[in-house]
Amino acid sequence: QVQLVESGGGLVHTGDSLSLSCTASGVFLDEYAIGWFRQAPGKEREAVAAIGWSGRTTEYSDSVRGRFTISRDAAENTIHLQMNVLKPEDTAVYYCAVNIMAYAQGSPNEGAYDYWGQGTQVTVSS
């Protein structure tokens, strides 16, 4: 059974940094494409970052590019999302998701992912 667990969320101030982690059981994350998404109150869930199956390709939404970095730690079976220079508009529940199709690239499309975590809350105060 595949399970994803996000951690690292919290309450921070504008300009601070946070590092989110997505740890898996039942699947080796370094073999598949992973995406990070977020959902703010009253808004639809949106893509934030993604990494392809090989780890060589990454993509980011325009709103976080240059501030967020997605990376994988194969030894820990974990995907990280380093978030720097946080803004109040980054406030949301953050989710990780895995696409278990072989050789998949990262995608901003929610439908490309098969398993999701429960989310971790990130709140950025002004």
Side-chain angles (χ1 to χ4, degrees):
Q1 183 178 0
V2 176
Q3 287 189 319
L4 303 178
V5 178
E6 302 93 340
S7 62
L11 172 63
V12 297
H13 298 290
T14 298
D16 286 349
S17 298
L18 272 178
S19 181
L20 304 184
S21 297
C22 172
T23 303
S25 59
V27 64
F28 291 111
L29 293 183
D30 65 333
E31 297 179 355
Y32 301 106
I34 308 295
W36 279 99
F37 294 78
R38 67 186 181 187
Q39 187 166 22
K43 296 186 177 181
E44 293 187 352
R45 190 156 55 186
E46 64 174 355
V48 174
I51 187 166
W53 72 276
S54 69
R56 297 192 189 100
T57 59
T58 57
E59 57 182 83
Y60 301 91
S61 67
D62 290 342
S63 61
V64 307
R65 188 176 294 111
R67 299 188 297 123
F68 290 12
T69 303
I70 187 171
S71 62
R72 67 170 87 231
D73 182 339
E76 297 293 328
N77 202 23
T78 296
I79 298 292
H80 298 289
L81 183 68
Q82 177 65 40
M83 306 186 297
N84 298 327
V85 195
L86 283 162
K87 305 175 182 180
E89 51 263 44
D90 295 318
T91 295
V93 178
Y94 284 71
Y95 302 88
C96 63
V98 60
N99 175 354
I100 60 171
M101 184 176 72
Y103 310 120
Q105 297 302 322
S107 170
N109 179 8
E110 289 188 35
Y113 298 92
D114 303 287
Y115 295 95
W116 293 76
Q118 293 299 306
T120 185
Q121 175 70 48
V122 172
T123 303
V124 185
S125 65
S126 58

